[in-house]
Amino acid sequence: MTLKLHCFGESGNAYKAALALELSDLTWSPVFVDFFKGATRSDDYRQLSVQGEVPVLVDGDLTLSQSGVIQQYITDKTGLFGGAEADTYEVLRWVLWDNHKLSSQVGMTRFLMNFLPEDKRPQEVISFMQSRLQAAFATLNTHLDGRDWIVGDGLTNADLSCCSYLFYPEPFGFDRAAWPHIDAWLTRISDLPGWKHPYDLMPGHPSDRA
């Protein structure tokens, strides 16, 4: 049975799930969610996700939301991306750190800088968020010094979670060249067989609304 991932290309959280699916070789297909036209606020979508968010994974009678939950489901289904048994909680620690300290703040900053009308972009808020992001980038860059992967010696959900927004081209205050260990790590990920950029993996692109 084909797994269905409700997603859209601009969503870094959806990309976490989509990339895990793609690298796992599970059979899946994306279902486009027209976020910018209010699809996640519709009554029909709320029947799928009471939280009104993407991604949502549908596997037969099972429906899951939240990227970290979907990633863990893929791990449980395939045995991939969980790391060594001894690293289970370390992988989870970095997934939760990303959700709170990195992805949530990148997602908000990127949205404010790129997807709001220019005259409605709150510059003080953007500057504040960018300053907080510098601390998160520093944490990740320092951790990756001397490491190929965030946890253990292979790709895990920690990597899949933390990398997601960092592949997007829109500006949000991240300069790969300024963070050499992050830069090298992102290159390792994009060199993996089967890797795809978010705009190649999921439907939806800013140019669609131009």
Side-chain angles (χ1 to χ4, degrees):
M1 180 178 293
T2 299
L3 284 72
K4 305 288 187 184
L5 185 72
H6 294 255
C7 60
F8 63 100
E10 294 94 333
S11 170
N13 287 320
Y15 183 51
K16 299 171 188 179
L19 185 58
L21 286 166
E22 188 71 10
L23 295 179
S24 74
D25 290 329
L26 287 170
T27 301
W28 74 285
S29 63
V31 178
F32 177 57
V33 178
D34 199 343
F35 173 84
F36 290 96
K37 288 189 176 178
T40 58
R41 296 189 295 275
S42 70
D43 291 340
D44 285 346
Y45 196 83
R46 291 287 179 158
Q47 295 299 312
L48 186 70
S49 168
V50 67
Q51 296 155 331
E53 298 177 342
V54 296
V56 172
L57 181 71
V58 178
D59 185 5
D61 293 332
L62 179 66
T63 299
L64 297 172
S65 64
Q66 298 297 316
S67 59
V69 172
I70 295 169
Q71 287 175 276
Q72 186 60 50
Y73 180 69
I74 294 166
T75 292
D76 293 342
K77 199 173 181 71
T78 67
L80 299 172
F81 315 135
E85 185 176 356
D87 293 331
T88 297
Y89 294 113
E90 185 68 0
V91 172
L92 179 60
R93 186 170 76 103
W94 280 99
V95 168
L96 295 176
W97 175 85
D98 165 69
N99 289 183
H100 181 56
K101 294 291 190 180
L102 184 58
S103 284
S104 61
Q105 300 191 50
V106 171
M108 174 179 165
T109 307
R110 175 170 160 265
F111 183 87
L112 295 177
M113 291 179 66
N114 298 278
F115 301 136
L116 284 182
E118 191 166 354
D119 63 343
K120 297 187 182 302
R121 297 173 185 173
Q123 296 305 318
E124 289 187 0
V125 175
I126 289 169
S127 295
F128 174 75
M129 294 303 297
Q130 287 181 327
S131 69
R132 288 180 61 86
L133 280 171
Q134 294 306 302
F137 298 149
T139 295
L140 183 58
N141 192 69
T142 298
H143 179 73
L144 285 166
D145 186 3
R147 300 172 182 267
D148 287 342
W149 308 101
I150 292 178
V151 179
D153 56 5
L155 183 77
T156 69
N157 287 323
D159 303 289
L160 291 169
S161 192
C162 290
C163 79
S164 60
Y165 276 99
L166 304 185
F167 281 115
Y168 281 94
E170 297 85 16
F172 52 84
F174 175 62
D175 176 8
R176 277 180 66 159
W179 307 102
H181 306 305
I182 295 177
D183 181 47
W185 165 72
L186 290 174
T187 298
R188 278 189 288 276
I189 294 172
S190 62
D191 283 345
L192 291 169
W195 179 88
K196 291 182 180 178
H197 188 276
Y199 288 141
D200 295 325
L201 190 55
M202 300 177 292
H205 189 281
S207 63
D208 297 339
R209 302 184 305 281

